[in-house]
Amino acid sequence: MESGERGGAVELARGVYWVGAIDWNGRDFHGFTTPEGTTYNAYLVVGEKTALIDTVKADFAGEMLERIREIIDPAKIDYIVVNHMEMDHAGALAELKEHTDASIFITRRGRDILDGYFKPSGCDDWDFQIVRTGDQLILGSKTLVFLEATMLHWPDSMETFLIENSILFSNDAFGQHIATSKRYDYEVGDLIPAAAEYYANILMPFGVPLLRYLGRLKEYGISPKQIAPSHGVVWKRDLDKILKAYTTWANGKVREKVLVIYDSMWGSTEIMAKEIAEAARKAGVEVKLLHLRKNTRNHIMKEMLDSAAFAIGSPTLNNGIFPSVGDFLAYLKGLRPPKKKAAAFGSYGWGGGAVKTIEQELKNSGVELLEPGIQVRYRPEGSELEMCRDLGRKLAEISKE
Ligand code: FEO
């Protein structure tokens, strides 16, 4: 078991407790660099019956069980709600099931995925209740309503609303990757930057299902007083702010902002990058110059969230792109940033190849490609530097459209 905070269940409302785990030392979340760690949130809802909403990563099962024991013997949990089957939320299920015969409430897709993960270790004797949007689980004085949230973040994802206390247990949506001993937004300052980085790297490809989901909340008359995600802290003070931000991000709304993303071997691509960035800056827009080995992928994607246009540059290495550029382009392709225009640039010595590869990958990422890219042999000079400045001005103009 990894070390973590011990004890300390937190009551969010009468009979509703945070019983999750704090991963102070987590520095990588499947490719997302987490310098501040993260949390895996589980919530215990106690009425006449008791439900546990989500579990935690397997390594943290003991920490969660310890917090549950402060409230109730785990054997007395009647129901487990699995909002999402990814292992950061369902990993501790096997250990938890050694302590309780609780029935598991899960979507049909979640049930299928659960089989994939737990069949080898044995889940045939677990009791499953398949739920759909609108289904309710009554705990006596408390009522849970299930809302499928397909692709937020996997096909199985759902969220759970506690009617009497007006708390939305939103699983991955509205999360932040931070480790903190605090449990509420008003205790930790402005959370929007952390939420933006999380959104850009986890939910960016799913703007359309997200808007559909937000519409469904309205349709069901759900206006939560707290949003309790499965990573980070609970939204209570800044509910309107985060809901508005999610609507903005899901719509792919951008502003006058240009990114110049690059790596460089012997400085030529860097000269080009700085020339592009400076020209865009002089054209009056916000610019970020982002070296790929000095910025994390997730920081760059956070910057991309509200940028209208970007350029990406690479030196040519063995007739192709530089490894850090390839890494970033692979990441970008998965996240498919909406409503972006982009151009390629780079340098070479003899065969070339970097710019062509970048352009192909940009097309595969769903961004609108501005052609042709700029290729420079050895050191950029004269008209080549002017081409870079032209590109900077063009990116700035596009971002003002
Ligand atoms: Fe936090 Fe999709 O798991």
Side-chain angles (χ1 to χ4, degrees):
M1 182 192 302
E2 287 189 30
S3 63
E5 189 178 271
R6 290 288 175 268
V10 177
E11 191 169 31
L12 304 181
R14 186 179 290 272
V16 184
Y17 303 88
W18 171 84
V19 290
I22 305 174
D23 187 355
W24 294 102
N25 295 324
R27 290 293 176 268
D28 180 274
F29 188 88
H30 60 47
F32 187 137
T33 305
T34 53
E36 293 182 71
T38 191
T39 67
Y40 314 109
N41 296 334
Y43 299 97
L44 197 66
V45 181
V46 183
E48 282 67 47
K49 298 279 189 181
T50 298
L52 178 69
I53 300 178
D54 288 320
T55 73
V56 297
K57 200 172 169 183
D59 291 343
F60 294 83
E63 192 175 325
M64 176 189 73
L65 283 162
E66 196 168 325
R67 290 199 169 101
I68 292 171
R69 283 192 191 100
E70 292 176 21
I71 313 300
I72 192 173
D73 178 348
K76 294 190 173 152
I77 296 172
D78 299 291
Y79 313 117
I80 301 167
V81 175
V82 175
N83 273 333
H84 176 29
M85 262 309 298
E86 194 162 5
M87 287 291 104
D88 50 330
H89 308 298
L93 204 48
E95 189 168 334
L96 176 67
K97 284 294 288 169
E98 290 172 13
H99 298 269
T100 171
D101 292 328
S103 302
I104 295 173
F105 287 70
I106 191 168
T107 61
R108 166 54 61 198
R109 285 168 169 149
R111 172 75 180 89
D112 294 343
I113 296 170
L114 188 143
D115 257 359
Y117 279 105
F118 287 111
K119 207 135 192 137
S121 53
C123 60
D124 287 341
D125 58 346
W126 296 0
D127 178 51
F128 293 100
Q129 303 293 323
I130 304 300
V131 294
R132 303 186 63 173
T133 294
D135 288 352
Q136 294 191 351
L137 174 59
I138 296 168
L139 308 176
S141 56
K142 294 190 186 296
T143 313
L144 300 175
V145 183
F146 303 112
L147 297 151
E148 289 164 277
T150 307
M151 296 319 297
L152 306 178
H153 153 234
W154 278 9
D156 66 308
S157 294
M158 72 170 180
E159 303 189 4
T160 300
F161 185 62
L162 170 56
I163 293 175
E164 290 76 6
N165 299 96
S166 197
I167 301 176
L168 179 65
F169 300 97
S170 62
N171 197 264
D172 275 338
F174 310 107
Q176 329 95 43
H177 277 317
I178 55 168
T180 169
S181 58
K182 306 297 185 188
R183 295 275 59 83
Y184 278 111
D185 53 359
Y186 57 79
E187 297 176 297
V188 294
D190 184 9
L191 267 181
I192 294 295
E197 185 158 357
Y198 180 98
Y199 179 90
N201 288 274
I202 306 285
L203 296 173
M204 190 189 261
F206 311 121
V208 172
L210 177 57
L211 289 172
R212 199 178 305 133
Y213 176 76
L214 292 174
R216 188 169 291 165
L217 287 184
K218 277 193 187 148
E219 194 183 308
Y220 276 73
I222 291 175
S223 179
K225 289 187 180 148
Q226 299 186 46
I227 295 180
S230 290
H231 298 289
V233 300
V234 175
W235 299 93
K236 191 171 182 180
R237 179 194 62 186
D238 291 336
L239 278 171
D240 290 346
K241 219 167 160 183
I242 188 62
L243 285 166
K244 200 171 161 195
Y246 259 58
T247 306
T248 301
W249 299 332
N251 277 305
K253 204 166 173 196
V254 292
R255 59 195 183 88
E256 295 180 5
K257 180 176 169 188
V258 168
L259 307 186
V260 182
I261 304 159
Y262 74 103
D263 206 330
S264 195
M265 279 172 71
W266 297 110
S268 296
T269 308
E270 183 158 62
I271 292 169
M272 299 174 76
K274 287 182 173 172
E275 208 70 23
I276 294 165
E278 187 60 6
R281 189 188 69 79
K282 284 180 180 166
V285 299
E286 183 183 345
V287 176
K288 296 273 172 149
L289 183 69
L290 298 159
H291 189 296
L292 280 162
R293 280 177 290 152
K294 301 188 196 301
N295 292 278
T296 61
R297 287 188 295 259
N298 34 290
H299 174 69
I300 297 173
M301 290 313 300
K302 178 195 159 198
E303 293 295 340
M304 191 173 288
L305 187 58
D306 61 354
S307 73
F310 66 95
I312 179 158
S314 175
T316 297
L317 178 67
N318 299 327
N319 299 325
I321 46 178
F322 205 66
S324 58
V325 181
D327 174 274
F328 181 74
L329 287 168
Y331 194 63
L332 185 78
K333 189 160 60 178
L335 291 172
R336 300 186 69 78
K339 299 182 183 171
K340 310 290 178 204
K341 293 181 181 171
F345 65 97
S347 59
Y348 69 103
W350 42 99
V355 167
K356 199 171 154 200
T357 306
I358 293 171
E359 288 182 336
Q360 188 53 51
E361 291 303 304
L362 286 175
K363 280 182 191 163
N364 293 340
S365 302
V367 304
E368 186 180 327
L369 181 65
L370 306 171
E371 294 185 279
I374 306 172
Q375 291 196 78
V376 166
R377 192 172 187 200
Y378 299 119
R379 276 279 187 269
E381 59 179 3
S383 62
E384 293 161 334
L385 290 171
E386 188 52 38
M387 285 165 70
C388 292
R389 290 191 285 273
D390 282 346
L391 177 57
R393 287 187 283 267
K394 187 171 180 184
L395 292 168
E397 287 314 309
I398 284 169
S399 78
K400 291 177 183 172
E401 284 170 2

